[in-house]
């Protein structure tokens, strides 16, 4: 019997977020007869998806949270011990952005042949010297110890690996099961949705401001907000301050995203930065017109995205959105060939080929 390729996926955790969704979806579509997948997560508490992952027969190895130098050192020590105790692994695939290099250095010293770095986000260029030096150092570790460099978009690859190594990277689009999101007929209305963690990156307070401005034009406007995070209290306070309690519904973390997308009319994402947002792909697959910031990579646009500058105020966002809703702007159409790039069958096949071709050389 042919030996299975043993893969270790390395993540911050198994939370309900885009990176985790990509990894879980990809692993679900790998051939169990060819690949044996385990997870290493940098947390010390059980995770949202952990029961599901273990039920499917995957091992989950936990190190600890990375808040502090001592815990960071413990993470790498425990990772090395797991690699030696439960190995040998053919592949280590790290999804922790700037920590990828250090993770893959540990994998290198543990004798792992194929070490894959995966970029899932794009950020801003920092003027802060400390941040610049930190990123420069971490890029050195990544580009030294990774022998495959992947990312969810060109922007994400440039951000993590730098321009010097950009031509040595490959884009793997965040794949979804397109069939789950197809909507044959949708009721008309003014229901918006935003899906994502309640963190600064998602520009949460600005979302509330946009809905407050839209309320001046359409008093009946509604927003369903899916997600949770450390900005939740600020969001609740902002909702009260702008008196949009009746217009915004905070749904928390949900597993029924395809159903929720079918019951609304528009998608909102004014993010400060993104790699290639999973939720935006799902929204377009559901046929939703999407209003996004100009910080979201254009590689995500499958024909249903209107890009609005972050530099303009919420009132200008509301005006642009209203012009679209009321037909004063051309109506967007889904480009079938573009959305098909995000089919999970295609992206998982590419990942499987990378694992097989490189790990067995």
């Amino acid at each position: 019997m042919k030996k299975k390729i043993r893969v270790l996926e390395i993540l911050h955790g198994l939370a309900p977020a885009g990176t985790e969704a990509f990894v879980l979806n990809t692993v679900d579509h790998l051939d169990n007869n060819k690949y044996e997948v385990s997870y290493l997560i940098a947390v010390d508490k059980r995770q949202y998806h952990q029961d599901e992952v273990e039920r499917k027969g995957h091992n989950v190895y936990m190190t600890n949270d990375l808040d502090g130098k001592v815990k960071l050192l413990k993470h790498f020590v425990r990772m090395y011990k797991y690699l030696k105790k439960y190995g040998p692994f053919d592949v280590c695939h790290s999804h922790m952005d700037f920590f990828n290099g250090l993770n893959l250095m540990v994998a290198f010293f543990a004798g792992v042949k194929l070490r894959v770095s995966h970029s899932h986000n794009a950020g801003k260029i920092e003027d802060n010297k400390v941040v610049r030096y930190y990123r420069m150092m971490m890029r050195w570790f990544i580009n030294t110890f990774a022998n495959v460099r992947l990312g969810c978009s060109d922007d994400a690859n440039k951000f993590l690996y730098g321009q010097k190594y950009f031509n040595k990277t490959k884009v793997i689009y965040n794949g979804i099961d397109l069939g789950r999101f197809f909507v044959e007929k949708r009721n008309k209305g003014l229901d918006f949705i935003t899906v994502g963690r309640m963190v600064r990156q998602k520009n949460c307070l600005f979302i509330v401001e946009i809905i407050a401005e839209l309320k001046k034009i359409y008093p009946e406007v509604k927003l369903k907000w899916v997600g949770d995070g450390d900005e939740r209290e600020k969001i609740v306070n902002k909702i009260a301050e702008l008196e949009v309690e009746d217009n915004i519904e905070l749904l928390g973390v949900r597993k029924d995203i395809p159903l929720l997308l079918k019951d609304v009319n528009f998608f909102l994402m004014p993010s400060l930065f993104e790699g290639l947002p999973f939720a935006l792909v799902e929204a377009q697959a559901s046929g939703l017109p999407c209003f996004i910031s100009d910080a979201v990579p254009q590689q995500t646009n499958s024909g249903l995205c209107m890009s609005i500058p972050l530099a303009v105020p919420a009132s200008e966002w509301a005006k642009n959105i209203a012009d679209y809703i009321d037909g004063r702007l051309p109506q967007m159409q889904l480009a079938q060939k573009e959305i098909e790039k995000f089919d999970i069958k295609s992206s998982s096949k590419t990942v499987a080929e990378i694992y097989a071709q490189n790990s067995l050389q």
Side-chain angles (χ1 to χ4, degrees), residues 225-236:
W225 198 321
V226 179
D228 206 348
D230 55 21
E231 291 219 331
R232 184 183 180 90
E233 186 176 348
K234 292 181 182 178
I235 292 166
V236 171

Side-chain angles (χ1 to χ4, degrees), residues 309-326:
L310 275 173
V312 303
S315 58
E316 190 68 19
W317 273 69
K319 181 181 180 301
N320 277 274
I321 293 169
D323 283 345
Y324 179 82
I325 291 173
D326 293 340

